[in-house]
Amino acid sequence: MVRVCREESFHQRQGYDLMLHLAQGTAEQKRMAQDALDRWWWPALMMFGPSDANSTHSGESQRWKIKRFSNDELRQKFVDSRCRRPGSWASHSDPLLRWDEANERHEFGPIDWTEFDQVLKGNGPCNAERIAARRNAHAAGAWVREAASAYADKQRRRAA
């Protein structure tokens, strides 16, 4: 698990550094950063899992000390760490995103979980492509499975 956490931490940091670099770059790089932010803002917030009110296992995972923070707490930490106070380097696709001075945190709009639910049900935007690629790979690898099976049969006959 330690290796997995380090790997994920590396990817998270790499993404953050890349976005920061692009946001401080040329007009084209800034456009690329904005495009990525627009496409990934809501999916990124969804990746923390359903809201605590709708999460089946979040509370239990915290009691068992598998998770230190709830889904909503993690989502809030992410938003606060990735958004700057007024004057942010990029505008967000969430028109309700704002800095709440009184609570010293960002407020953001409600998440539309429709896409998330559809992805979990196997109806994501790339699901058909993924399934087709898997079927093609399985069909293309048939000869390997057949050869391995024939070899195993040959070895069994020799042993008998």
Side-chain angles (χ1 to χ4, degrees):
M1 191 65 187
V2 170
R3 286 176 37 196
V4 170
C5 289
R6 284 184 183 152
E7 176 84 7
E8 292 306 316
S9 180
F10 167 77
H11 290 299
Q12 178 268 337
R13 186 68 198 177
Q14 184 183 31
Y16 180 77
D17 288 345
L18 179 61
M19 284 294 286
L20 196 59
H21 181 77
L22 289 174
Q24 296 170 350
T26 66
E28 177 63 13
Q29 289 170 325
K30 289 177 183 177
R31 188 200 59 72
M32 291 167 61
Q34 184 65 56
D35 178 60
L37 184 62
D38 291 343
R39 285 183 291 118
W40 287 100
W41 177 252
W42 293 112
L45 295 186
M46 290 178 205
M47 286 182 204
F48 291 97
S51 67
D52 293 344
N54 298 323
S55 179
T56 309
H57 304 290
S58 189
E60 192 171 88
S61 295
Q62 281 187 275
R63 280 191 301 282
W64 291 353
K65 304 213 185 291
I66 295 170
K67 291 172 66 171
R68 291 176 40 208
F69 303 100
S70 73
N71 295 349
D72 288 340
E73 289 171 322
L74 289 169
R75 190 175 358 268
Q76 187 67 53
K77 285 176 179 281
F78 172 79
V79 171
D80 289 339
S81 69
R82 296 302 177 248
C83 296
R84 295 183 181 179
R85 294 185 185 178
S88 177
W89 54 264
S91 60
H92 290 268
S93 53
D94 179 359
L96 300 178
L97 180 70
R98 67 176 183 80
W99 176 250
D100 180 352
E101 193 68 46
N103 293 312
E104 295 186 350
R105 68 179 207 170
H106 287 87
E107 296 291 331
F108 51 93
I111 297 172
D112 178 1
W113 291 97
T114 307
E115 180 183 358
F116 181 83
D117 293 336
Q118 286 300 307
V119 169
L120 290 182
K121 290 177 184 172
N123 301 319
C126 297
N127 196 58
E129 292 173 29
R130 183 183 59 78
I131 296 296
R134 185 178 178 122
R135 287 184 177 143
N136 288 340
H138 183 76
W143 70 272
V144 175
R145 291 187 300 281
E146 291 167 7
S149 183
Y151 180 76
D153 288 343
K154 182 179 176 181
Q155 294 302 316
R156 277 192 291 277
R157 284 193 300 275
R158 279 189 183 166

